Amino acid sequence: MRTEALLFAGVTLFFAVTGGVYDHYGDDPAGTAVLLVACLMAALVSCYLAVQYRKRGRRPQDREDAEVIHTAGPVAFFPAASSWPITIAAGSTVVGLGVVFGLWLALLGAGLLALGVFGLVFQYARHQEPEASPPDRSHG
């Protein structure tokens, strides 16, 4: 992840320099704000990747001598079909219609949307992952 962190640090630097030049020569505060937000988002990703690199060290993808088997992780749980995305879509539709037809409909849609998001986020909250054994690294 070190390479990715450095890549996003370069993107952060690019947006910072571009934003500074745009702010100095441009007359548009909205463009400056957009470049600032882009700079901050790239910095956030860069910092996250740097912290993950410090925590976990080098990944197999970062090593020249690594093989495909070294990157394999546990394959244990695939979620079943869920009805919550349909609920979220219905809630979003009702909120959109509520903007047109009245606040009461928008509030009902917001409630349905909140229910759908809550259900989607917590549908597997009680699911326990089985303990996975580490991949066999005796090859090579």
Side-chain angles (χ1 to χ4, degrees):
M1 284 186 237
R2 182 173 180 258
T3 305
E4 292 93 340
L6 291 174
L7 176 72
F8 275 98
V11 171
T12 302
L13 182 65
F14 170 77
F15 280 124
V17 170
T18 305
V21 170
Y22 188 86
D23 185 46
H24 182 70
Y25 290 110
D27 207 18
D28 181 25
T32 304
V34 167
L35 289 169
L36 175 66
V37 169
C39 176
L40 293 175
M41 288 191 306
L44 177 70
V45 173
S46 178
C47 289
Y48 172 77
L49 291 171
V51 167
Q52 291 302 314
Y53 176 72
R54 277 191 226 119
K55 275 184 179 179
R56 298 180 183 183
R58 293 179 64 194
R59 299 175 301 170
Q61 293 93 334
D62 297 331
R63 295 191 343 245
E64 293 287 331
D65 62 335
E67 294 185 22
V68 175
I69 191 68
H70 296 145
T71 63
V75 178
F77 174 69
F78 293 99
S82 174
S83 62
W84 293 114
I86 296 170
T87 309
I88 292 171
S92 300
T93 303
V94 174
V95 167
L97 289 172
V99 170
V100 175
F101 293 112
L103 179 63
W104 63 274
L105 192 58
L107 292 176
L108 285 174
L112 185 61
L113 181 63
L115 175 70
V117 169
F118 185 81
L120 184 67
V121 168
F122 291 108
Q123 71 180 341
Y124 297 112
R126 296 177 196 222
H127 175 77
Q128 295 291 324
E129 287 284 334
E131 291 295 322
S133 59
D136 181 23
R137 298 186 193 263
S138 61
H139 302 302

